[in-house]
Amino acid sequence: MADSDAHKIAKAAKYAFENSQLIPASERVKALQEIRNVLDANKTEILEANKLDLQAARLEVEAGRMSESLMKRLDLGKGDKWDSMSQGISDVAGLPDPTGSVSYASELDDGLELYRVSCPIGVLLVIFEARPEVVVNIASLAIKSGNAAILKGGKESSRTTSLLSKAISTGLAKTSLPETYIQTVQTRAEVSSLLELDQYIDLVIPRGSNSLVRNIQNSTRIPVMGHADGLCSVFLDETADVEKAVRIVVDSKTDYPSACNAAENLIIHEAVLNTVWPTVARALLEANVTLLCDPASLEVVKSLPSPPKNLNAHVKLSEPSSYTTEHLSLTLSVITLSSLKSAIEFINAHSSHHTDSIVTESDESASMFCRGVDSAGTFVNASTRFADGFRYGFGTEVGISTGRIHARGPVGLEGLVTYKYMMRSKSQSGHIVGEFGTGKKRYKHEKIETNTVPF
Amino acid sequence: MADSDAHKIAKAAKYAFENSQLIPASERVKALQEIRNVLDANKTEILEANKLDLQAARLEVEAGRMSESLMKRLDLGKGDKWDSMSQGISDVAGLPDPTGSVSYASELDDGLELYRVSCPIGVLLVIFEARPEVVVNIASLAIKSGNAAILKGGKESSRTTSLLSKAISTGLAKTSLPETYIQTVQTRAEVSSLLELDQYIDLVIPRGSNSLVRNIQNSTRIPVMGHADGLCSVFLDETADVEKAVRIVVDSKTDYPSACNAAENLIIHEAVLNTVWPTVARALLEANVTLLCDPASLEVVKSLPSPPKNLNAHVKLSEPSSYTTEHLSLTLSVITLSSLKSAIEFINAHSSHHTDSIVTESDESASMFCRGVDSAGTFVNASTRFADGFRYGFGTEVGISTGRIHARGPVGLEGLVTYKYMMRSKSQSGHIVGEFGTGKKRYKHEKIETNTVPF
C-alpha cells in the first residue's frame, strides 16, 4: 500500500518538476508571496492546531515517552516564531535566482556556442523531525530554487504540519506551478518506499538528529546531503595569544553548545600548557564547562592557584572515547600534543571534518593548519561557531554538509541547483563532429564572456 | 583476508592523501614527469608483458570465453597507443592546477575574511575494465588534482597493469609524495571490501560497461560518479531544415555508434514526416543504419520513391522496448509525435538524461527544448556526439556523468575537486560569534575580489 502510494507521489513530483521547467522563475517568487499570504490569513487556525499537538505532546512528556526539549521545539506560537517563519518566506523570495546563470561559456567553433547553466536538481525528499516551521522553510527554499519536493515531518507535529502543507498547496494553486510541486507524506513506511525510488528522487535532505541522518544514509542509493556529526576542535598553537585563546575557546564551546558547530575537543600544544592553558581552563570552569582532560592538562588544572570552587566536580580524566564524542552540552574534551603536525593528524583522525580552528600568531602555522586539516571549515583565530550559512553571507541555509561531493560546509541556495550544458549552432548547415579531426577543422575553444544564455 | 587487506590499503590511501595536503602542487607535476620517464624507459618490458596478456586472451577468444573486441582493447602496442598514453601524462601535467582557486571570498566583519577554496576530494576508488592504459590515464588525473587513488583494472590485462603500476610507484618514489598515493588492487573480493569503507574512500569512479556501473551503484554508500546509460535522442522539429537534419542525425548515429553520446532515438514532428523524414531516412539507409520505426514513419519509408536496395532488411516495426534500448550499433529507433511538448515529455521519460538535440529553425522551440529537456546536454542544430570533455574544451575527460549531484555531463579535472572554507581573523583579539546579534555588531558581507587565498 505504502509502496504504490509512494510510487504515485514520487512520479507526480517528477512530473511536476519537469513541467515546471518552462515556467519563468518569477512565478516561483509569486508562489512564495501567495503562500505567505495564505499562511498569515490562517494563522489563528494553524496555531489552534499547534496547541492540540502541544497538548498531546504534554501527555507524552508526562508519561515519560517524550523529552521536554522535543516538546518545546513543537511550539509555533512561542515568541516571534510565527513572524520569523513568515518573514523567512519573503527573505528567501528576495534572494537572487540561483538558476539560469552561466558559469562556463565557450565558442567551440565559428557559430558553435556552449553554455554551462545552473538549473534545479529535480525532486528533493526532505525528512525532518519535530519543528513544524521547517516544512515552510524547506518548501520556500525548494520553490525558490525550482525544485519539486516531498516533505516528511515528525508525527508529533502532524496537526500543525498538515495545515501548513494545506496553506502551501493553496498558495501554489494561485500560480501556474503544478499542484504536486510540493507534497507531504505522513508515515515512515512511505519514506522507506520513497528512499527506493531513485528513478524519480534526485536528492535526500535529512534535517534532524545524527541517528536520523545515519539511518537514511544506510538505506538509500539516492545521494544524501546532510551532516552526520559535528565534532569540531580548537587547537592552541605554540604561539597562541592568551586573550584570543580564551575568547575563541569559550565562544566555540558555550555560545550554543547543542549546535553542530560548537567545539567538542580542545587540543593544546605542550609549549603553552603552563602559559595559556591555565587561563583558558579557569575561564571554561567559570562558564560552567566540564573538562575531560588527558593527564598532562589535568595536572595543570588541578594545580591552579586559588582553584575555582567547582573544580573537582567539573574536571575529570578523559577516556579515548571522549575525543570521538559529540557532547552537545557544556562538556569539552582536552588533549595535549607535541606539535602542530600531531594536532593536524589528531583532528583528521578524530573530528567529523566539519569545522576546526587554530589559535596562533604564526602565519606559517595558520597556513599549514588550513591546508592540512581536511575539514569543510578551517579557521584562524575565529570561533568554530562562525560555520553557518547566514554568517557566511548566503542569505539562507539549506543545511551543513560534511560530505565532500556536491556541497560542503554551510550550504546556501546553490546547494539546491546543479547545471546543464546548452549548445547552439548558428551555422548554415548545423554542426557535426565528423568535420573535426586530423586534417579537418580544429576546435577554437574561445571564452565567451556572459552570465546568461542568449537563447 | 581480502577484508583486512582492503582495510589496510584504504587506510594507507587516506593517510597518503592527508599527508600530501602540505606538499606544493608543483611536486605533483614533477611526479607526472617522473612517471612518464619511467614508463618510456620500460616501454619494451611493458609491451612484452602486454603480449603475454594478449596471448592468454587469444586462447580465451578461441575457447569462446572472451569477445574479439575485448581482446583488441587489451593491445597497448597497436598504432600510436603507447605514444598517446605517454603524451597524455604530459598533457594532464600541463593543465591549470584545479586546486587552490577561490570561488567565493567575503569580508564578514572588519578583519574577518572568508575564502571558499578548491581542494582535492580525498581518496578515489577507480574501477575499470580491459584497456590497460586507463591505469596511467586515471593515475595522472588523480595526481594532478591532488587526490590519492586506488585502482582496479581488468584481470585480462593484469600482467600489463601490474608493470604500469610499478612504473607509477617508481615515478612517485622520486618525489616527496607518499608511496601509497596511488595503489592498485587485483581482485574483485578486494573491491567488494573497499566499497564498504566509506570512512576512507570518498568517491568511486567506474569506467566501463553499463553493468559494471550499475553493479557498483547497487553495492556502495560511497558516492559514485559515472554514467549508467547513454540513451541520446535527436528531435526533428516542425521547422527543421532538411540539410541540417540529415547531417546531424547521420553524424549523431554513425560517427561512433558504440559511444555513449551516439543517438539511439529519432523523434519526428508529424509536420515534417513527409517533407524532412524521407530524405533523412534515405541518408540513414545509405549509411547502413537499421531503422526501428513506428507505423507512421515506417509507412513513409516503405513508400520512398526508387527505394534503396536494402530496404526490407534494414527497416522494421519498432516495439515499445526499442525506445529504451541503448543499441550501441548502427540501429536507430524512430517515433512520430505531434508536438514539441510531446517530444520533450517523451525524451524526459525515455532518454537517460545524457544529451539530446533538436533540429529547428525556431528560436522559441530551441529555447523551450533546452529548458524543458531534463538532460546534462541540450543541443540546438548540433550532433549529440559533441558531448565530450575534450570537445567542450576541458583539456581532458574524467568521464561523463548522468548523475545530477557534484558533476553532470562531461567532467574535466574540476570533477575531481571539491572546496573548503578557510577563515582568518586579523583583529587584535580574534573573532567570536557572541559579539554579533541584536544590539551588537552586524555582519558586513563585503565581497573580496581575489582568486587566491592570501595566507
Side-chain angles (χ1 to χ4, degrees):
Chain A
M1 189 62 176
D3 260 18
S4 74
D5 284 357
H7 196 271
K8 221 178 283 175
I9 288 169
K11 200 172 168 179
K14 193 62 147 191
Y15 184 82
F17 165 66
E18 288 171 354
N19 275 271
S20 72
Q21 291 308 289
L22 294 173
I23 297 170
S26 56
E27 196 69 7
R28 305 200 302 260
V29 171
K30 186 186 163 200
L32 294 177
Q33 289 157 344
E34 297 288 359
I35 290 168
R36 184 178 185 185
N37 293 341
V38 176
L39 279 171
D40 285 342
N42 292 280
K43 180 177 172 180
T44 315
E45 189 197 348
I46 296 169
L47 289 183
E48 283 303 319
N50 188 240
K51 276 188 193 144
L52 295 179
D53 277 337
L54 275 170
Q55 276 167 24
R58 196 171 313 276
L59 294 178
E60 292 296 299
V61 172
E62 282 162 11
R65 286 189 297 260
M66 187 190 284
S67 72
E68 184 90 18
S69 69
L70 194 151
M71 187 188 76
K72 278 186 186 155
R73 289 203 292 275
L74 297 179
D75 191 352
L76 195 57
K78 207 175 69 180
D80 64 350
K81 226 176 183 185
W82 179 276
D83 290 342
S84 78
M85 174 187 84
S86 178
Q87 180 57 42
I89 304 172
S90 301
D91 290 348
V92 168
L95 290 172
D97 183 7
T99 69
S101 68
V102 169
S103 57
Y104 178 86
S106 177
E107 193 173 44
L108 307 190
D109 182 36
D110 292 333
L112 184 63
E113 304 160 351
L114 176 72
Y115 300 88
R116 181 168 64 202
V117 194
S118 65
C119 62
I121 290 172
V123 176
L124 315 177
L125 172 61
V126 189
I127 302 160
F128 50 92
E129 292 171 329
R131 295 191 298 129
E133 69 274 23
V134 175
V135 68
V136 172
N137 177 224
I138 292 284
S140 306
L141 295 167
I143 292 170
K144 176 69 186 185
S145 56
N147 292 283
I150 304 169
L151 311 177
K152 159 78 172 76
K155 66 175 186 315
E156 305 80 8
S157 61
S158 62
R159 292 175 191 82
T160 316
T161 49
S162 115
L163 288 190
L164 292 173
S165 305
K166 206 178 127 196
I168 292 168
S169 299
T170 310
L172 276 176
K174 299 184 181 193
T175 72
S176 57
L177 286 167
E179 259 179 76
T180 55
Y181 204 56
I182 305 289
Q183 299 175 88
T184 45
V185 296
Q186 300 293 344
T187 70
R188 281 194 190 192
E190 283 171 312
V191 170
S192 299
S193 305
L194 288 169
L195 289 173
E196 299 283 324
L197 301 176
D198 59 331
Q199 70 271 45
Y200 299 123
I201 298 172
D202 301 298
L203 185 65
V204 182
I205 307 178
R207 298 254 305 221
S209 68
N210 291 351
S211 64
L212 172 78
V213 180
R214 284 259 169 86
N215 281 340
I216 288 166
Q217 284 174 328
N218 281 327
S219 50
T220 187
R221 288 188 295 142
I222 307 170
V224 177
M225 183 164 77
H227 69 98
D229 278 303
L231 221 150
C232 304
S233 306
V234 177
F235 170 57
L236 305 183
D237 187 35
E238 58 181 327
T239 62
D241 171 84
V242 66
E243 185 203 353
K244 289 180 187 172
V246 168
R247 282 164 46 83
I248 289 159
V249 174
V250 171
D251 189 84
S252 296
K253 181 69 255 180
T254 69
D255 181 63
Y256 189 1
S258 65
C260 64
N261 56 13
E264 307 291 3
N265 286 337
L266 173 66
I267 304 160
I268 305 167
H269 192 295
E270 62 179 15
V272 296
L273 196 58
N274 293 300
T275 51
V276 177
W277 171 230
T279 317
V280 172
R282 187 180 296 277
L284 286 166
L285 290 168
E286 280 166 3
N288 266 316
V289 176
T290 296
L291 303 173
L292 307 179
C293 295
D294 69 327
S297 63
L298 185 69
E299 204 191 307
V300 174
V301 179
K302 293 273 186 191
S303 355
L304 280 178
S306 55
K309 275 197 300 240
N310 50 5
L311 191 68
N312 284 326
H314 280 188
V315 183
K316 292 167 195 160
L317 192 64
S318 65
E319 294 169 19
S321 66
S322 306
Y323 304 102
T324 50
T325 302
E326 193 179 359
H327 305 296
L328 296 171
S329 64
L330 284 177
T331 299
L332 185 66
S333 308
V334 185
I335 191 166
T336 315
L337 293 172
S338 61
S339 67
L340 169 59
K341 191 162 178 292
S342 322
I344 292 172
E345 285 178 5
F346 182 89
I347 291 173
N348 286 339
H350 295 82
S351 94
S352 67
H353 310 287
H354 186 299
T355 304
D356 302 283
S357 184
I358 184 175
V359 181
T360 186
E361 295 301 300
S362 153
D363 287 348
E364 200 190 332
S365 295
S367 177
M368 272 183 71
F369 183 88
C370 286
R371 282 155 187 80
V373 169
D374 179 30
S375 293
T378 53
F379 293 180
V380 181
N381 295 330
S383 166
T384 57
R385 290 271 301 133
F386 281 109
D388 172 282
F390 289 95
R391 290 174 193 145
Y392 277 13
F394 301 158
T396 188
E397 186 179 277
V398 173
I400 295 188
S401 166
T402 50
R404 291 139 193 274
I405 305 301
H406 183 65
R408 193 180 194 192
V411 181
L413 273 182
E414 66 184 12
L416 297 185
V417 299
T418 178
Y419 55 79
K420 67 202 288 188
Y421 288 95
M422 298 187 189
M423 187 184 285
R424 172 173 67 163
S425 165
K426 297 195 286 189
S427 95
Q428 280 294 345
S429 44
H431 266 87
I432 61 172
V433 160
E435 291 177 341
F436 294 80
T438 318
K440 298 191 256 181
K441 285 207 277 187
R442 296 183 58 150
Y443 290 93
K444 271 173 73 173
H445 295 145
E446 206 167 284
K447 197 176 177 190
I448 301 172
E449 297 289 350
T450 182
N451 294 319
T452 53
V453 181
F455 59 96
Chain B
M1 188 60 177
D3 261 18
S4 74
D5 284 357
H7 195 270
K8 220 178 282 174
I9 289 170
K11 201 173 169 180
K14 192 63 151 192
Y15 184 82
F17 165 67
E18 287 170 355
N19 275 272
S20 71
Q21 291 308 288
L22 293 174
I23 298 170
S26 56
E27 196 70 7
R28 304 200 302 259
V29 172
K30 186 185 162 201
L32 293 177
Q33 290 157 344
E34 297 289 0
I35 289 169
R36 184 180 183 181
N37 293 342
V38 177
L39 279 171
D40 285 343
N42 292 281
K43 179 177 174 182
T44 315
E45 189 196 349
I46 295 168
L47 288 183
E48 284 302 319
N50 188 239
K51 276 188 192 144
L52 295 179
D53 276 337
L54 274 171
Q55 276 167 23
R58 198 172 310 277
L59 294 177
E60 292 295 299
V61 171
E62 282 162 11
R65 286 188 298 261
M66 187 188 284
S67 71
E68 184 89 20
S69 69
L70 193 151
M71 187 187 75
K72 279 186 185 156
R73 288 202 292 274
L74 296 179
D75 191 351
L76 196 56
K78 210 175 67 179
D80 63 350
K81 225 174 181 185
W82 179 277
D83 291 343
S84 78
M85 176 187 82
S86 178
Q87 178 58 43
I89 304 171
S90 301
D91 290 348
V92 168
L95 290 173
D97 183 7
T99 68
S101 68
V102 170
S103 56
Y104 178 86
S106 177
E107 194 173 43
L108 307 190
D109 182 35
D110 291 335
L112 184 63
E113 304 161 351
L114 176 72
Y115 300 88
R116 181 168 64 202
V117 196
S118 65
C119 64
I121 291 172
V123 177
L124 314 177
L125 172 61
V126 189
I127 302 160
F128 50 93
E129 292 171 327
R131 296 190 299 129
E133 70 273 22
V134 174
V135 68
V136 173
N137 176 222
I138 292 285
S140 307
L141 295 168
I143 292 170
K144 176 70 187 183
S145 56
N147 292 283
I150 304 169
L151 312 177
K152 158 79 173 72
K155 66 176 188 315
E156 306 80 8
S157 61
S158 63
R159 294 175 189 82
T160 316
T161 49
S162 112
L163 288 189
L164 292 173
S165 306
K166 206 178 124 195
I168 292 168
S169 299
T170 310
L172 276 176
K174 299 184 181 192
T175 72
S176 57
L177 286 167
E179 260 178 76
T180 55
Y181 204 56
I182 305 288
Q183 299 174 89
T184 45
V185 296
Q186 300 293 345
T187 69
R188 282 194 190 192
E190 283 170 312
V191 170
S192 299
S193 305
L194 289 169
L195 289 173
E196 300 284 323
L197 302 175
D198 59 332
Q199 70 271 46
Y200 298 123
I201 299 172
D202 301 298
L203 184 66
V204 183
I205 307 178
R207 298 254 305 220
S209 67
N210 292 351
S211 63
L212 173 77
V213 179
R214 286 258 170 84
N215 281 339
I216 288 166
Q217 284 175 325
N218 281 327
S219 50
T220 187
R221 286 188 296 142
I222 308 170
V224 177
M225 183 164 75
H227 68 97
D229 279 304
L231 221 150
C232 305
S233 307
V234 178
F235 170 56
L236 306 182
D237 187 34
E238 57 181 328
T239 62
D241 172 83
V242 65
E243 186 204 352
K244 290 179 187 171
V246 168
R247 281 165 47 84
I248 288 159
V249 175
V250 171
D251 189 84
S252 296
K253 180 70 253 182
T254 69
D255 182 64
Y256 191 0
S258 64
C260 65
N261 57 13
E264 307 293 2
N265 286 338
L266 173 65
I267 303 160
I268 306 168
H269 192 295
E270 61 178 15
V272 296
L273 195 59
N274 291 299
T275 52
V276 177
W277 170 230
T279 317
V280 172
R282 187 180 295 277
L284 286 165
L285 290 168
E286 280 166 3
N288 267 315
V289 176
T290 296
L291 303 173
L292 306 179
C293 295
D294 69 327
S297 63
L298 185 68
E299 205 192 307
V300 173
V301 180
K302 292 276 185 187
S303 353
L304 280 177
S306 54
K309 274 195 300 233
N310 51 5
L311 190 68
N312 284 325
H314 280 188
V315 183
K316 290 166 195 160
L317 193 63
S318 65
E319 293 169 21
S321 67
S322 306
Y323 305 103
T324 51
T325 302
E326 192 178 359
H327 305 297
L328 295 172
S329 64
L330 284 177
T331 299
L332 185 66
S333 308
V334 185
I335 192 167
T336 315
L337 294 172
S338 60
S339 67
L340 168 59
K341 190 162 179 291
S342 321
I344 292 172
E345 285 179 3
F346 183 87
I347 292 172
N348 285 339
H350 294 81
S351 95
S352 68
H353 309 288
H354 185 298
T355 303
D356 302 284
S357 184
I358 183 175
V359 181
T360 187
E361 294 302 300
S362 153
D363 287 349
E364 198 190 333
S365 296
S367 177
M368 271 184 71
F369 183 88
C370 286
R371 283 156 185 80
V373 170
D374 179 31
S375 293
T378 52
F379 293 0
V380 181
N381 296 329
S383 166
T384 56
R385 290 272 300 134
F386 281 108
D388 172 283
F390 290 94
R391 290 175 193 144
Y392 277 13
F394 302 158
T396 188
E397 184 179 278
V398 172
I400 295 189
S401 166
T402 50
R404 291 141 194 273
I405 304 301
H406 184 65
R408 193 181 195 194
V411 181
L413 274 181
E414 65 182 14
L416 298 184
V417 299
T418 178
Y419 54 79
K420 68 201 288 188
Y421 288 93
M422 298 186 187
M423 189 184 284
R424 172 174 65 162
S425 166
K426 298 195 286 190
S427 95
Q428 281 293 347
S429 43
H431 266 87
I432 60 171
V433 160
E435 290 177 341
F436 294 81
T438 318
K440 298 191 254 181
K441 285 209 277 188
R442 295 183 58 150
Y443 290 94
K444 271 174 74 173
H445 295 144
E446 206 167 284
K447 197 175 178 189
I448 301 173
E449 297 289 350
T450 182
N451 294 318
T452 54
V453 181
F455 59 96

